[in-house]
Amino acid sequence: QATPPEEKVKTLDKAGVLHRTKIVDKGKRLRKKHWSASWTVLEGGILTFFKDSKNSAAGGLRQPSKLSIPEFTVDLKGASLTWAPKDKSSKKNVLELRSRDGSEYLIQHDSEAIISTWHSAIIQGIQEMSAD
Ligand code: I3S
């Protein structure tokens, strides 16, 4: 008797305003860091950083605008996440996300509690997307 297929585990969804900067684009280190506070959404194993906007920096946890345009989308399948080493940034609470295509992002929030929930959620997303 065949066992029923396992139900797909839902990725933990999360959204909020984070500071982020892309530092490597597909293996190529970018010359300049551009930190910005932007609306960030984790949904279905994809992390989306929306374009910086006045609204996203000031709007707290509300979605800033229907017109927000994604700037970077990171497929968490095959990605890895670590706490960034001190030489990557002088800021506190910085996460380093590496995507499978060789891009790297730094993600930061002044609140250790908030960055920790993002750390857990992204790790969970990576595990779910990368499971067989
Ligand atoms: O890796 P860097 O160059 O020290 O990154 C800093 C710069 O991006 C800096 O911009 P200016 O070069 O325009 O000053 C930013 O203001 C800093 O925040 C960056 O360093 P941290 O340590 O904050 O990631």
Side-chain angles (χ1 to χ4, degrees):
Q1 181 99 25
T3 50
E6 275 177 56
E7 203 177 303
K8 260 220 156 198
V9 183
K10 280 227 179 84
T11 300
L12 176 59
D13 289 351
K14 191 165 173 55
V17 175
L18 289 176
H19 294 100
R20 47 74 174 172
T21 180
K22 189 178 194 176
I23 56 170
V24 178
D25 181 51
K26 294 177 184 136
K28 188 165 184 272
R29 188 158 292 275
L30 300 174
R31 269 183 296 153
K32 186 115 178 48
K33 250 191 227 161
H34 292 288
W35 283 104
S36 58
S38 72
W39 185 251
T40 307
V41 172
L42 172 60
E43 190 176 37
I46 308 279
L47 189 67
T48 304
F49 297 108
F50 286 86
K51 283 207 168 157
D52 189 19
S53 75
K54 281 183 216 147
N55 287 343
S56 72
L61 293 177
R62 279 170 297 119
Q63 182 163 8
S65 163
K66 295 273 188 302
L67 298 174
S68 294
I69 303 161
E71 184 166 18
F72 306 125
T73 57
V74 185
D75 184 349
L76 294 185
K77 189 179 170 73
S80 63
L81 185 75
T82 56
W83 293 99
K86 290 284 168 218
D87 63 334
K88 290 287 175 84
S89 176
S90 61
K91 298 182 193 304
K92 63 178 179 177
N93 306 328
V94 182
L95 294 171
E96 184 175 37
L97 177 66
R98 292 163 193 254
S99 62
R100 194 173 42 166
D101 71 358
S103 296
E104 288 182 32
Y105 304 84
L106 300 180
I107 303 168
Q108 190 269 348
H109 197 288
D110 282 345
S111 159
E112 194 179 340
I114 289 172
I115 200 71
S116 294
T117 63
W118 278 97
H119 179 265
S120 303
I122 295 169
I123 289 286
Q124 186 178 338
I126 289 171
Q127 288 170 352
E128 288 169 4
M129 292 302 286
S130 307
D132 286 332

